[in-house]
Amino acid sequence: MNYHSHSNPKIKARFGDALLASLASDGGLWMPDSLPHFSPAQTAKMGAMSFADCAAVLAREFVDERYLTEDLRAICRDAYNFDVPMVTLGGELLDAATPEDHDEFILELFHGPTLAFKDFAARFMGRAASHLMKSSGETRTILVATSGDTGGAIGDAFLDQDGIKVFILFPKGGVSQVQEQQLCTMGNAKSNVKAISIDGTFDDCQQMVKDAFGDKDLTTKHNLMSANSINVGRVIPQSFYYFWTSLQAKAAYPSRPIVYSIPSGNLGNLTGGLIAKQMGAPIDRFVIGNNVNDPFVDYLGSGEYKPRPSVPTLSNAMDIGRPNNFPRILALHNGDYDAVKSVCWGASFTDAETERHIRRVHTETGYIMCPHTAVGHLAMEAFTADIDEPITKITVGMTSPRKIR
């Protein structure tokens, strides 16, 4: 698989080179030249695999010749050594649910080591990068901005990796207490992972990272590598869990359309889902839940994209006013607004609405949602309010409630 800059298709790279370079030489985002498409017969076989083995098959289509099939299988089995459950609000697993009784599930992506969905992309990326560096003998400095979950996942994925230094920028007072403790207590004083608090917002942290990568001398001197979702190595693995879980849902409910609701900030998660759909995953629609930082929801309503400064909310990992992956979403749909709108529907919600929803869901079902998941669930409810036909509704569970305090 070759990749090109979204702003200049003539600028090309292999997967490993795009992974390590983070951005193209013109500052553009790396995009795959094409996407594989799997037939129903192929997807049936992949749905019968474990998630890790299915991920390895998918990864084969996106990487280059430096990764052997057995390398990818080992990378994915090591990265994904935790569950990927879909559960009802009553706590029943998808494979144990009775079809006539359940049509709504939470895809719990927070069973990894840092209790957040970012573990999926970070752990694959960490092992994929380490594979290259072990063979080349190079060293890299990872510079990453976080609004909460990314930093913890990246730090854990790269902790104690030889030849790698990690610097994590986070907004002072802009992450939860648990998230800050996680960021600042990884390893010890001599570890290769360092967290730095910044007076400002996530967008300020992200701009510092962009500015650093825009300085070619600085980038070359320190061998800078980004681990934010500007890096294609973060986005591609996010397609894996949409692909595999949609196959599980379709097997359980073959006659129902499948709709995912995604709490969204930087739009990397949505980009992964859209890639999965274009590869043949049986997904019919995506619902996007934003907090009050909602430029993408506004775009879906008006066709005009207007990024703006972010404001702090309870769902802090989504406090992003300039989502990096918007250009990728446009590129996947050839810049066609109507094409984007045909597969995406969105709504945004305030902190007060989010708090009320968390309380209501817990009172009615006993299920505890983090604020991010609650925003996505609110959006799903809004989308399906006037839909009478049976559909399989899957809300993406972003972060373990144990991590949000």
Side-chain angles (χ1 to χ4, degrees), residues 6-83:
H6 86 277
S7 54
N8 185 353
K10 293 182 180 179
I11 299 176
K12 300 280 190 177
R14 294 181 296 173
F15 171 78
D17 301 321
L19 170 68
L20 297 180
S22 303
L23 291 172
S25 58
D26 66 341
L29 300 172
W30 292 114
M31 290 291 296
D33 281 356
S34 62
L35 292 176
H37 187 85
F38 298 94
S39 68
Q42 290 173 309
T43 58
K45 292 180 180 179
M46 294 163 75
M49 298 176 182
S50 68
F51 170 68
D53 287 347
C54 179
V57 172
L58 293 170
R60 175 74 276 159
E61 302 294 327
F62 288 97
V63 300
D64 56 56
E65 74 282 357
R66 287 170 286 185
Y67 297 86
L68 302 178
T69 298
E70 53 265 35
D71 296 330
L72 292 172
R73 190 176 296 115
I75 285 171
C76 290
R77 288 180 177 178
D78 185 42
Y80 304 130
N81 58 358
F82 49 89
D83 293 333

Side-chain angles (χ1 to χ4, degrees), residues 216-384:
K216 292 185 178 180
D217 291 337
L218 186 68
T219 300
T220 301
K221 178 180 178 180
H222 295 284
N223 271 337
L224 290 184
M225 172 182 171
S226 174
N228 280 95
S229 60
I230 59 174
N231 193 311
V232 73
R234 273 276 311 278
V235 172
I236 294 301
Q238 291 182 284
S239 69
F240 299 166
Y241 48 76
Y242 287 108
F243 197 96
W244 187 78
T245 59
S246 66
L247 298 180
Q248 310 309 305
K250 182 58 75 172
Y253 305 98
S255 63
R256 295 181 184 175
I258 297 174
V259 177
Y260 281 82
S261 181
I262 306 175
S264 297
N266 229 351
L267 301 177
N269 212 351
L270 174 60
T271 303
L274 292 168
I275 289 172
K277 178 175 172 58
Q278 292 191 15
M279 289 193 294
I283 301 171
D284 293 270
R285 201 76 184 272
F286 291 98
V287 172
I288 292 82
N290 277 168
N291 57 30
V292 295
N293 299 289
D294 56 357
F296 187 67
V297 167
D298 280 354
Y299 166 77
L300 291 175
S302 68
E304 294 184 47
Y305 175 62
K306 297 179 179 179
R308 49 189 179 264
S310 63
V311 297
T313 73
L314 287 174
S315 46
N316 61 291
M318 296 153 54
D319 292 347
I320 299 169
R322 299 177 181 87
N324 274 331
N325 286 289
F326 180 72
R328 282 192 170 116
I329 291 172
L330 286 184
L332 286 169
H333 298 89
N334 299 313
D336 187 339
Y337 165 69
D338 290 331
V340 175
K341 193 172 180 181
S342 69
V343 294
C344 297
W345 182 94
S348 56
F349 303 91
T350 65
D351 277 355
E353 291 172 308
T354 303
E355 286 185 292
R356 285 197 296 269
H357 193 68
I358 292 171
R359 286 195 295 268
R360 179 174 70 81
V361 170
H362 180 254
T363 298
E364 293 177 356
T365 70
Y367 192 88
I368 301 175
M369 291 180 174
C370 78
H372 313 82
T373 307
V375 169
H377 195 248
L378 274 166
M380 179 68 88
E381 287 194 344
F383 175 73
T384 58

